[in-house]
Amino acid sequence: MKHLIIFGAPGAGKGTQAEKISQQFNLRHLSTGQILREIVDKEILAIMNNGSLVSDDVINQIIKQKIEEDKNSYFVFDGYPRTLKQSKYLDKLIKPEEIILINLIVSSKEVIARLSLRKRNDDTEENIKRRLKIYHKNTKPILDYYKSTNRLYKINGEASVNDVFNRLKDLITN
Ligand code: AMP
């Protein structure tokens, strides 16, 4: 088994698939967005509600603590890493060869359609635009980094939830 990073744009289905995968393979699901929402800190909520990223240092410390709390588990990372700095930090916490990244590919058009239907507090039109812009700015360096270390996999995220799940299962077990 490996630690899995379920990667993709906001609305690509990372949360849904990460949850299903963690149950199927008995892994720990770590969603940084979920953890941040539970902290209920005013400053953090303000950053989230305007669609920006919380600082790498805050996020990295959260992840470090979660991994140290549960040293024997395998993790499914959902929403982390979101920057190259976070990717490199994760490689210091866990052996790089024990981590793979799976990119759920969904077109911008589909992502916008899905996010407009979702009713989360931070899913306003302005916010969606900013999150997608930030996502696109950070994506390429992250994907290049995992590609250059042979840890990059991709899946079409536009199929049904079950089809995407089945493809993920195949990828993980092969
Ligand atoms: P998510 O639930 O993954 O869409 O995350 C919701 C929001 O939490 C994002 O728009 C960011 O403001 C913040 N967030 C979640 N994960 C991270 C991360 N790894 N780095 C920085 N900010 C994050």
Side-chain angles (χ1 to χ4, degrees), residues 14 31-34 36-37 47-48 51-54 59 78-82 86 118 120 122 131:
K14 298 188 293 289
S31 155
T32 41
Q34 189 63 40
L36 292 171
R37 280 186 284 279
I47 294 171
M48 293 168 82
S52 305
L53 290 186
V54 174
I59 298 285
D78 156 16
Y80 179 92
R82 256 184 165 89
Q86 293 177 13
R118 205 164 76 168
R120 222 168 67 183
D122 59 344
R131 269 153 56 211

Side-chain angles (χ1 to χ4, degrees), residues 24-47:
Q24 174 81 26
F25 295 100
N26 199 17
L27 312 174
R28 269 288 309 273
H29 179 189
L30 271 191
S31 155
T32 41
Q34 189 63 40
I35 295 167
L36 292 171
R37 280 186 284 279
E38 281 165 12
I39 294 175
V40 205
D41 174 280
K42 261 202 206 148
E43 269 176 58
I44 290 179
L45 280 180
I47 294 171

Side-chain angles (χ1 to χ4, degrees), residues 58-105:
V58 167
I59 298 285
N60 283 338
Q61 284 315 305
I62 290 174
I63 290 291
K64 179 172 187 255
Q65 191 187 340
K66 293 285 177 192
I67 291 174
E68 281 174 356
E69 270 168 23
D70 216 338
K71 280 216 154 81
N72 295 322
S73 286
Y74 279 89
F75 291 93
V76 183
F77 298 99
D78 156 16
Y80 179 92
R82 256 184 165 89
T83 64
L84 191 57
K85 211 169 154 195
Q86 293 177 13
S87 305
K88 292 189 172 169
Y89 186 81
L90 182 61
D91 277 350
K92 295 214 166 74
L93 295 175
I94 298 176
K95 282 193 199 116
E97 61 271 26
E98 291 184 0
I99 306 169
I100 61 167
L101 182 148
I102 305 171
N103 188 17
L104 295 184
I105 298 176

